[in-house]
Amino acid sequence: DFTEMMRALGYPRLISMENFHTPNFMLVSEVLLWLVKRYEPQTDIPPDVETEQDRVFFIKAVAQFMATKAHIKLNTKKLYQADGYAVKELLKVTSVLYGATNTKGVERAAVSEEDNSKFKFDLGSKIADLKAARQLASEITSKGASLYDLLGKEVELREARTESIARPLEINEAEKMLKVAIDCVLEQVQKTKDMLNNVALDEASLEAKIEKRKLELERSQKRLQTLQSVRPAFMDEYEKIEEQLQKQYSSYLEKFRNLTYMEQLLDDHRRTEQEMFEEAANTLQLMQNRLKEEEQHLFKRGNNDDSDVEIQEDEGSSSEVEDKQIMKQRTTTETLLRG
């Protein structure tokens, strides 16, 4: 419907709903500006939409114009989205223009592109005429009601009117009333003159203040230029101190890097020592377990068959050798445990 209405209104380029599947703010702004110009050609809305602030200002200006001129409330958030929801808001304006052109009976079959770009239906003037007609109708009703009330009092007022007409006109009273009216007018004229004189004085004082401020501004600008051109006396010392500080900072960085490297090496060394200590402890534990097993085995062999004396005498020498070996193993284990 939107594309058909825009084509019927004479939009110069083709529009399809695929253009609004993704946000397309440039197309929405172009359509809005064209619709506003179509509604009232004399409007002045800035077409700049490059920055975010310009876009927000453009949407607000269009929404305010449609609300005040056409009494159409637009959702600014949906217009700023520039997608399918914005088409629903654009459809509000296009439906009004499409209905107005249909009621007006404007023929578009033989109209050229240049005639389409021009606004043929001045809806703004029609709205002004409608407002004026409404105001006149309200005034007519109020005047008719007041006239009806006055006509109801005509019977009472007729006698007073005839009496006042029959009464002779007194020139002295008329002169007094005229003098009073003249005095009131003169007082008002004097008040306006006094106000004009005060305005002139205020204008002169303001001009004097402006001139004074201009002179102060010029002096301050000259002083600023002189201060910028003069080199301070402490700048040489400042530059030297800055160079020294740069050197100190570079040496600090080097020492900090060396310190971190040495700390890393120390951590690695401690880690390797800890691993070696754990390995030594494990090997010592294994040796202790092995010696315990051998002692138990020898103890079992020593308790076998004590009645066989001859075998013991023959093997006395071998048992002494074994006892010596056991004593050596015990001494080695004790030394390892002490270590």
Side-chain angles (χ1 to χ4, degrees):
D1 295 336
F2 176 71
T3 55
E4 291 177 358
M5 286 181 183
M6 290 298 290
R7 193 181 298 112
L9 288 172
Y11 189 66
R13 57 179 290 185
L14 295 175
I15 300 174
S16 63
M17 294 307 295
E18 293 179 357
N19 298 126
F20 299 97
H21 286 171
T22 57
N24 192 353
F25 191 85
M26 299 301 293
L27 182 59
V28 172
S29 63
E30 184 180 355
V31 171
L32 281 173
L33 188 62
W34 187 83
L35 289 173
V36 169
K37 293 292 184 182
R38 184 82 171 164
Y39 198 92
E40 188 173 353
Q42 302 299 326
T43 55
D44 188 10
I45 293 176
D48 296 332
V49 290
E50 293 179 358
T51 61
E52 184 179 358
Q53 293 180 355
D54 295 337
R55 292 181 179 182
V56 172
F57 181 74
F58 176 80
I59 293 295
K60 285 183 178 180
V62 171
Q64 187 176 3
F65 173 81
M66 287 298 173
T68 54
K69 297 294 184 181
H71 300 284
I72 298 171
K73 187 177 180 181
L74 298 175
N75 193 344
T76 55
K77 291 183 180 179
K78 291 182 180 179
L79 286 175
Y80 192 80
Q81 288 177 3
D83 52 2
Y85 293 101
V87 176
K88 295 180 180 179
E89 301 299 321
L90 293 172
L91 193 60
K92 295 178 182 179
V93 184
T94 53
S95 60
V96 172
L97 291 173
Y98 185 75
T101 52
N102 284 335
T103 54
K104 187 71 176 177
V106 180
E107 295 181 355
R108 299 179 180 84
V111 179
S112 61
E113 293 182 357
E114 294 181 356
D115 294 333
N116 287 328
S117 63
K118 295 180 181 179
F119 186 63
K120 296 295 184 181
F121 187 75
D122 193 0
L123 194 58
S125 62
K126 298 297 180 183
I127 291 171
D129 295 339
L130 182 61
K131 289 181 180 178
R134 287 178 181 175
Q135 188 176 1
L136 287 173
S138 62
E139 288 179 359
I140 287 167
T141 54
S142 62
K143 296 291 183 182
S146 63
L147 183 60
Y148 179 76
D149 295 334
L150 292 173
L151 289 173
K153 296 177 182 179
E154 176 63 21
V155 179
E156 297 177 0
L157 296 174
R158 188 181 298 165
E159 295 177 358
R161 188 171 61 250
T162 54
E163 288 178 0
S164 61
I165 290 169
R167 185 186 301 171
L169 182 61
E170 294 180 0
I171 298 171
N172 294 325
E173 292 181 0
E175 287 180 356
K176 288 180 181 179
M177 296 298 293
L178 288 172
K179 285 180 181 180
V180 171
I182 290 165
D183 292 334
C184 291
V185 172
L186 290 174
E187 287 179 0
Q188 291 179 0
V189 170
Q190 188 64 35
K191 286 180 181 179
T192 52
K193 286 182 179 180
D194 294 336
M195 291 174 69
L196 289 171
N197 291 327
N198 291 328
V199 168
L201 292 173
D202 293 337
E203 187 178 358
S205 63
L206 288 172
E207 287 180 355
K209 288 181 180 179
I210 289 167
E211 291 293 331
K212 186 177 179 181
R213 296 293 182 185
K214 284 182 179 178
L215 293 173
E216 290 178 357
L217 180 62
E218 289 177 357
R219 285 198 296 270
S220 58
Q221 285 179 353
K222 289 179 180 179
R223 186 178 178 184
L224 178 63
Q225 290 176 359
T226 53
L227 289 173
Q228 288 177 353
S229 61
V230 174
R231 181 182 174 83
F234 60 87
M235 283 301 293
D236 297 332
E237 186 178 359
Y238 174 77
E239 289 177 355
K240 290 180 181 178
I241 293 170
E242 190 174 5
E243 290 178 358
Q244 293 177 2
L245 181 63
Q246 190 68 29
K247 292 179 181 178
Q248 292 291 331
Y249 182 70
S250 61
S251 64
Y252 166 74
L253 286 177
E254 186 177 358
K255 289 178 181 179
F256 183 76
R257 286 197 296 270
N258 294 329
L259 179 63
T260 52
Y261 179 69
M262 296 298 290
E263 287 178 354
Q264 186 178 1
L265 290 176
L266 181 61
D267 292 335
D268 295 337
H269 182 67
R270 286 176 180 174
R271 194 180 297 110
T272 53
E273 284 184 351
Q274 185 68 25
E275 290 176 356
M276 290 172 68
F277 178 75
E278 288 177 357
E279 277 185 32
N282 291 328
T283 54
L284 184 62
Q285 187 69 27
L286 291 171
M287 290 176 69
Q288 287 179 357
N289 294 328
R290 192 180 297 169
L291 289 172
K292 285 180 181 179
E293 290 177 357
E294 289 179 357
E295 286 179 357
Q296 289 176 1
H297 183 65
L298 292 172
F299 182 74
K300 287 179 181 179
R301 287 180 63 187
N303 291 326
N304 288 331
D305 199 7
D306 294 335
S307 63
D308 194 1
V309 178
E310 292 178 356
I311 295 169
Q312 289 180 356
E313 289 178 356
D314 294 334
E315 293 180 353
S317 60
S318 64
S319 63
E320 289 177 358
V321 172
E322 289 178 354
D323 291 335
K324 289 179 180 181
Q325 289 179 355
I326 290 166
M327 291 298 293
K328 285 181 181 181
Q329 289 179 356
R330 285 182 180 177
T331 53
T332 54
T333 54
E334 287 176 0
T335 54
L336 287 171
L337 288 171
R338 288 175 184 175

